[in-house]
Structure formats: structure tokens, C-alpha cells
């Protein structure tokens, strides 16, 4: 196979996930020539039904649907807590939105005012991002309602009405009312009605790992719009390093691998949109005489302050069969009542009521040994008893949590793999315990026989990679400025949750999208001035 590199272009974007897709479409609409380099393949939307069927077969895994694993995706985890990096990564056109849960909400005003233990703080506030949040909701297609009394202020309705509370949400509502816990709808990047050429949600219930109907937003649809505007997307082209000019002040080319050879893509502006692990890895791999500790790393904090959202939860069975467990595959009710707290020892908590707790009838049938009437009887007796409740807990930024390079292990191109150093701190453990207290009160009110608990000792990540190229005004303690341009390199911008200064406890994709649209304006302005 032959491959011809594109000529020098206005913008080279690394990564074709939600950030890269929005950048490409927005910048092309502004009249700029854009090339996107994506490490993974282009998946055919026509295969989604087959992918869904594979995902629910016994013995298959969710992430196996998206072909993750092997030397290309090798990593190590040498921190105190093991980090299963590949469990929820996707490399491909569309990125993480190919398999994400699809929940989207804005960070609270308090999140932008929060500081880390080292004093790091956001150089922007909520009001500065507010119009971009509205634009991001339109781009992704968000179904929601203004019924959340704890949400930050907004000026416009959601693009689509919220999904109605599920049947299991109505069961939780009884207990929450008794306990004076206020519940409200969830913002979802999936269609409650036909929107932007995509169908209304038809309820496959397999949202993670795959939405066969296309009702859930996936960034490959934005890539298609960008390509119609002239954007060139080169898939299966992992970038190996960024090369700078002789002065070291600007990026000159992205060197990428394709079909067993390497190529150079030159551009006036470069934007990294490959996520909170691969971005710092690429910067560290781009070390040179002018940038001996890695590109854009004069501060020494590239890869540092890695943050996650931690999961707390519990589930069990009701004595009566009425939960309709796993009837839909996404959340429709939450509570942000415990998010903004005056207690410095407790981090933000986002309480989630899980519609997908317990196996679905299809999963139960596929795992069963019986057939026919015997199977029907088993399903009638066993299905509909399970309930689950979850929570996201914010993690504080700490320098000792970081993404580094493991020089003893290499990928399929001979490059050092990412090494995740991660541990859960005492503040997070206290917050997880507090979340479990709230959850247990709800379950006890319902009379649930609790069968499983995830808390301080067995928590895990929700795979939201944040903080590894943090924003800031001080070049000695941050990687990018308020415009998301690196302090050290004039034509290099980073659009990712890697620029987050604090984590909050909200799913990050809507904030990524809002920051990305804002960064696109700055990049476009810079191109027009030069």
C-alpha cells in the first residue's frame, strides 16, 4: 500500500476523538486547511450491530469490541494502586465516544475556584466557559432539563428534552424523598428525539460499549462533517514525535508511522487532542537538545498531576421482583446535592442511580444452561430483583500521580510505553466512605439486601484522564496558558482534559468540548494574524 503525506497545512491535529473532531470541523468551517492524524483505525458504522452482538456473548469483553490490546497499546502501572489503562481506552476515529456512557454535565462554578494542594488554580472561571458550554451542547446534541437546583447557571434550554426517569428511578425516588435527598435529570449526549441527522434512542441498552442506532453522540459523525469541508483524516498513523525548528521555539512537523514507514506532516499550527495519557507521552518522546526533558516541559510537570474520578457504589436485591434491571443502558436520574460542600476533608460527590445494575434478560439467557420453557421459568424467577447505586468522587491533583515513560518496555514501533503512577489519597478515601454512607441509607430505606459494595478499599477509576498538561498563568508550574497554548512552544495547543487543573466529580467530555471550541477560536485568530 502506498501513502502520500499531505503538503504543509494550516493545522495538524493529533487525535480524532471528540476534541480532535470538533477542532477539525470548526477550523475547516473558518476556512483553514486541516489534517488530522489518528493512531487507530476507522471503524465502519455498518458493523455496529455485529459489534453489539459480540459484546453480549459470554466470554467476550467490552473493550475487545474496539480492538484494544497487544504491543500497540502496551503500558505499565508501577504506582501504589494498579491502573487498568486499556480497560476503557479506544484508539480510532471517534476515540472514547465510540464506547462512552454518554453522560454530559457542566463543571460547577466551585470547580473553577478550587485549588490543589500545591496551590494550582484555573486561569479561567465558569462564566468564561459558559457560552462555549452552550455551543458544545448543541454540537454533541444533549438531552436535558433545567430541573437541577444544584447546577451552575445557564442562559438557554437544552437542545433536546430530557429522558423520562426510568422505572428503577421511581423506586429510588421513594427512598430519596423519605431521606430528603433531592434528585433530578441527567444530561445525556443521546437523542431523546431525532437530532442532527441521527435517530431517536431506540433502547438497545448496550450504550457501553456500542450504540448500534447512532442515537448516542460519537465523534466519527463530526469527523464526517469535517471531511465534507475538506479536512484530511489519516487513520492508523500514530505520531512518533514532534520536531521543532532550529530555534526550538516552534513545532515544524509531526512525524508519524504508516504502512511500515515514517512521514513528516508540516503545519503552521499543531494541536494535541489525543487524551490525558498519550499527549504527555508524546511530549516526553519529543525530547531534543532544545527541550531535553520533553517538549513543552520546562516546568517539569508534563505528565504530573494525573487525576481520576473514583467510583463508589453498592447493589443488591429487593425481596420483590419489580426493578426492570438493565432495561436501559444509561442513567436518567442523579443527585448533585452532595457536590458542593464546605467540608475541606470531603471532595465533591456526584450520586448516580444505576439503570444498568444486574444482568439483562438477554445476558441471563445467554449465560443459562436451560432452554425453552425451563429458561423462561428461570428468567421469570430471577430477573427484576437487582438495584444498584453509584457515585463519582473527585480526586485531588498531586504531583506524585503521573504519566511517565517506561524505557524498559516498548510498543510496536519501539517507543517507550506509558507508565501510570497512581494512588488514592486519604481525602478520597474519606469521601468514598461518605458516599457509601449515603448509598447505604438509600438501600436500607428500600429494604435492599446488599450483595456488593465498592468503597475506600476496593475503589477503581472511571477512566477520565485529567491534569497531565495542566493550565496556569505561571510557566514554572503549568504546561499551557489560559488559551491552552503551551508556554514553551508558540504554535502548539493542547485540547484535552489533560489541561484540567482540578477534577471535580463531573464526567469531563462536555468540558473538554467547551474548552476545545474555545481553543479553536484562539487558533483561528492566530492563523489569520500570521
Amino acid at each position: 500500500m502506498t501513502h502520500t503525506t499531505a503538503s504543509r497545512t494550516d493545522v495538524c491535529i493529533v487525535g480524532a476523538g471528540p476534541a480532535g473532531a470538533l477542532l477539525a470541523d470548526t477550523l475547516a468551517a473558518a476556512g483553514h486547511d486541516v489534517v488530522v492524524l489518528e493512531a487507530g483505525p476507522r471503524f465502519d458504522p455498518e458493523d455496529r450491530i455485529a459489534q453489539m452482538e459480540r459484546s453480549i456473548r459470554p466470554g467476550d469483553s467490552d473493550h475487545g469490541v474496539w480492538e484494544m490490546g497487544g504491543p500497540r497499546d502496551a503500558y505499565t502501572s508501577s504506582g501504589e494502586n494498579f491502573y487498568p489503562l486499556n480497560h476503557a481506552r479506544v484508539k480510532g476515529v471517534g476515540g472514547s465516544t465510540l464506547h462512552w456512557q454518554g453522560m454530559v454535565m457542566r463543571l460547577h462554578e466551585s470547580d473553577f475556584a478550587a485549588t490543589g494542594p500545591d496551590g494550582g488554580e484555573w486561569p479561567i472561571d465558569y462564566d468564561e466557559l459558559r457560552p462555549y458550554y452552550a455551543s458544545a451542547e448543541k454540537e454533541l446534541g444533549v438531552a436535558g432539563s433545567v430541573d437541577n437546583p444544584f447546577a451552575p447557571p445557564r442562559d438557554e434550554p437544552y437542545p433536546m428534552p430530557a429522558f423520562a426517569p426510568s422505572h428503577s428511578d421511581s423506586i429510588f425516588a421513594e427512598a430519596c424523598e423519605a431521606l430528603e435527598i433531592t434528585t433530578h435529570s441527567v444530561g445525556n449526549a443521546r437523542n431523546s428525539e431525532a437530532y442532527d441527522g441521527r435517530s431517536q434512542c431506540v433502547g438497545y441498552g448496550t450504550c457501553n460499549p456500542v450504540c448500534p442506532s447512532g442515537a448516542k453522540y460519537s465523534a466519527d459523525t463530526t469527523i464526517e462533517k469535517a471531511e465534507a469541508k475538506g479536512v484530511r483524516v489519516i487513520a492508523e498513523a500514530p505520531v512518533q514525535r514532534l520536531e521543532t525548528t532550529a530555534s526550538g521555539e516552534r513545532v515544524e512537523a509531526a512525524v508519524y508511522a504508516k504502512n511500515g514507514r515514517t512521514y513528516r506532516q508540516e503545519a503552521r499550527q499543531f494541536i494535541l487532542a489525543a487524551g490525558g495519557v498519550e499527549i504527555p507521552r508524546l511530549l516526553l518522546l519529543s525530547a531534543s537538545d532544545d527541550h531535553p526533558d520533553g517538549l513543552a516541559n520546562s516546568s517539569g510537570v508534563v505528565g504530573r498531576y494525573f487525576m481520576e474520578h473514583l467510583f463508589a457504589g453498592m447493589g443488591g436485591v429487593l425481596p420483590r421482583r419489580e426493578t426492570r434491571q438493565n432495561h436501559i443502558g444509561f442513567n436518567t436520574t442523579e443527585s448533585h446535592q452532595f457536590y458542593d460542600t464546605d467540608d475541606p476533608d470531603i471532595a465533591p460527590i456526584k450520586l448516580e442511580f444505576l439503570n444498568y445494575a444486574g444482568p439483562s434478560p438477554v445476558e441471563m439467557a445467554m449465560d443459562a444452561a436451560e432452554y425453552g420453557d425451563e429458561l423462561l421459568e428461570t428468567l421469570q424467577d430471577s430477573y427484576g430483583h437487582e438495584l444498584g447505586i453509584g457515585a463519582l468522587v473527585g480526586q485531588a491533583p498531586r504531583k506524585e500521580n503521573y504519566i511517565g515513560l517506561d524505557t524498559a518496555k516498548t510498543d510496536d514501533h519501539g517507543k517507550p510505553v506509558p507508565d501510570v503512577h497512581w494512588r488514592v489519597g486519604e481525602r478520597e478515601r474519606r469521601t468514598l466512605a461518605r458516599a457509601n454512607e449515603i448509598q447505604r441509607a438509600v438501600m436500607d430505606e428500600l429494604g435492599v439486601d446488599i450483595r456488593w459494595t465498592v468503597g475506600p478499599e476496593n475503589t477503581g477509576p472511571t477512566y477520565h484522564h485529567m491534569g497531565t498538561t495542566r493550565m496556569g498563568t505561571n510557566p514554572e508550574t503549568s504546561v499551557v496558558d489560559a488559551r491552552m497554548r503551551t508556554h514553551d512552544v508558540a504554535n502548539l495547543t493542547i485540547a484535552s482534559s489533560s489541561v484540567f487543573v482540578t477534577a471535580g466529580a463531573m464526567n469531563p467530555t462536555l468540558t473538554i468540548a467547551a474548552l476545545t471550541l474555545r481553543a479553536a477560536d484562539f487558533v483561528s485568530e492566530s492563523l489569520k494574524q500570521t
Side-chain angles (χ1 to χ4, degrees), residues 182-194:
T182 301
T183 61
H184 46 80
S185 63
V186 180
N188 274 286
R190 55 174 49 78
N191 294 352
S192 59
E193 58 190 26

Side-chain angles (χ1 to χ4, degrees), residues 160 191-201:
M160 288 175 283
N191 294 352
S192 59
E193 58 190 26
Y195 183 87
D196 198 23
R198 297 180 286 116
S199 77
Q200 180 181 17
C201 175

Side-chain angles (χ1 to χ4, degrees), residues 174-239:
E174 302 171 13
C176 289
E177 185 175 357
L179 295 170
E180 298 184 341
I181 296 175
T182 301
T183 61
H184 46 80
S185 63
V186 180
N188 274 286
R190 55 174 49 78
N191 294 352
S192 59
E193 58 190 26
Y195 183 87
D196 198 23
R198 297 180 286 116
S199 77
Q200 180 181 17
C201 175
V202 296
Y204 276 99
T206 60
C207 311
N208 184 342
V210 58
C211 172
S213 70
K216 184 183 68 174
Y217 172 78
S218 182
D220 53 341
T221 61
T222 304
I223 285 289
E224 290 177 6
K225 295 178 185 178
E227 289 179 311
K229 297 179 177 74
V231 171
R232 181 177 181 184
V233 178
I234 305 173
E236 298 181 270
V239 176

Side-chain angles (χ1 to χ4, degrees), residues 138-153:
K138 292 175 183 175
E139 291 286 346
L140 272 58
V142 177
S145 173
V146 292
D147 62 339
N148 181 355
F150 312 105

